[in-house]
Amino acid sequence: MSDYGMMDKEEIFSKVLRAGRRTYFFDVRATKAGDYYLTVTESKKFTNDDGSFHYKKHKIYLYKEDFAEFRDILGEMTDYIINEKGEEVISERHQKDYKREDDFVQQEAKTPQDTEPTTESFTDISFDDI
């Protein structure tokens, strides 16, 4: 029997990335067979009305057999975004034609009435015709 408790088993290798209200935890963990895998946990801080706060967490598990492909796709995706949009963050608040969310919602509410006649003509099609 080894002297390792559950806590020691959990803390094989960990890194933390703090990014505003989000924190990312990268943790190397062990399978029952003694192999290693990676968990990435996103923890996001939400403030309640009374000033207290809570966290929402999302976790993904990455196993060795997927590392190479995952790394390739992640690299491809991040390169694509930088190539298309550059490294500077684009915020809608800096756009000249920026509309607040509630303006956008009112605009959205008007559109279904304009398009109703066309959607009605589609509903006449019966499944037998297809």
Side-chain angles (χ1 to χ4, degrees):
M1 289 288 291
S2 70
D3 296 330
Y4 292 110
M6 278 303 286
M7 285 306 291
D8 296 320
K9 191 182 144 197
E10 291 295 313
E11 296 176 16
I12 295 161
F13 184 54
S14 296
K15 288 248 174 175
V16 179
L17 168 62
R18 287 186 175 79
R21 290 193 306 149
R22 295 171 201 270
T23 303
Y24 298 95
F25 299 93
F26 297 84
D27 296 292
V28 174
R29 297 177 183 267
T31 63
K32 284 181 181 154
D35 205 353
Y36 288 167
Y37 65 96
L38 173 67
T39 64
V40 181
T41 308
E42 176 203 47
S43 177
K44 190 175 178 185
K45 186 178 181 179
F46 291 89
T47 306
N48 302 320
D49 295 334
D50 63 1
S52 65
F53 43 82
H54 67 281
Y55 295 90
K56 283 190 181 168
K57 293 185 175 184
H58 299 281
K59 186 176 287 198
I60 62 167
Y61 295 78
L62 278 177
Y63 298 93
K64 280 180 175 173
E65 59 267 29
D66 303 318
F67 285 174
E69 202 172 356
F70 189 92
R71 189 185 292 162
D72 288 348
I73 292 172
L74 182 63
E76 185 182 339
M77 291 299 179
T78 53
D79 288 349
Y80 176 83
I81 291 170
I82 300 299
N83 290 337
E84 292 289 315
K85 296 294 178 183
E87 290 193 30
E88 191 179 328
V89 174
I90 300 170
S91 170
E92 59 184 15
R93 276 164 287 181
H94 298 124
Q95 304 285 342
K96 285 193 290 278
D97 57 347
Y98 169 67
K99 284 186 166 55
R100 293 200 330 276
E101 292 246 346
D102 51 343
D103 295 340
F104 184 69
V105 171
Q106 286 171 351
Q107 234 180 344
E108 284 283 291
K110 290 175 193 164
T111 36
Q113 292 153 3
D114 305 335
T115 55
E116 248 176 77
T118 47
T119 44
E120 255 179 48
S121 60
F122 285 116
T123 49
D124 296 338
I125 300 166
S126 70
F127 285 107
D128 301 332
D129 300 340
I130 298 169

